[in-house]
Amino acid sequence: MGIILAILSGYFISLQNVTNATIGSEVSTWTTAMITQAVGATGAFIIYLFSKKERTLGHKKVKPLYLFGGSFGAIVVASSVIAVSYVGATISNSLILLAQLGIVIVIEALGLFDIRKQQIAGKQWAGLALMMLGAVLISL
């Protein structure tokens, strides 16, 4: 189930980058970010209303810094809108994926953000290097 949801997430991130770029060609970057975040929040709220999980008060246990993590979404939207307009969707998405993988490796290696520290194996560094090579090849 985790693999399927991860693939689905990647699919929708790519769709979001392309649709955001299209919106961004008609309105400002930050208006695009605002629209996207508002629609996303509305969608999440509707799903929440139909969800059977009752963990709504758990947010009081979360460190306040982490509650602002959703605000990164506005930066993601704005930067992807601009990136797609400069280098296109394919190169943007390949670099976005590369950046995601790179930062997650660092986060796990150092145990940041209360994530369990992981030993990063040589094959993981090799995978990152191959992705970098792929990003270069896609951009040619």
Side-chain angles (χ1 to χ4, degrees), residues 39-139:
V39 170
T42 302
F45 182 70
I46 291 168
I47 292 168
Y48 162 78
L49 290 176
F50 292 100
S51 174
K52 294 183 180 176
K53 295 195 177 186
E54 298 290 330
R55 294 187 56 180
T56 57
L57 298 178
H59 71 280
K60 293 180 180 178
K61 297 177 184 175
V62 177
K63 291 180 181 177
L65 173 66
Y66 298 153
L67 293 174
F68 290 96
S71 65
F72 297 145
I75 297 168
V76 170
V77 171
S79 59
S80 69
V81 165
I82 295 167
V84 169
S85 71
Y86 277 102
V87 296
T90 302
I91 294 172
S92 293
N93 280 352
S94 67
L95 294 174
I96 289 166
L97 291 172
L98 183 59
Q100 286 176 335
L101 184 59
I103 194 64
V104 168
I105 286 174
V106 170
I107 288 169
E108 284 189 336
L110 300 176
L112 302 175
F113 301 105
D114 296 327
I115 298 292
R116 186 171 47 100
K117 195 172 186 177
Q118 301 280 343
Q119 180 69 24
I120 307 302
K123 63 184 176 182
Q124 290 165 310
W125 291 113
L128 183 60
L130 285 172
M131 284 188 69
M132 286 179 188
L133 178 62
V136 168
L137 292 175
I138 284 174
S139 67

Side-chain angles (χ1 to χ4, degrees), residues 24-43:
S25 69
E26 301 295 329
V27 298
S28 75
T29 300
W30 289 108
T31 301
T32 301
M34 183 185 63
I35 291 167
T36 300
Q37 295 296 308
V39 170
T42 302

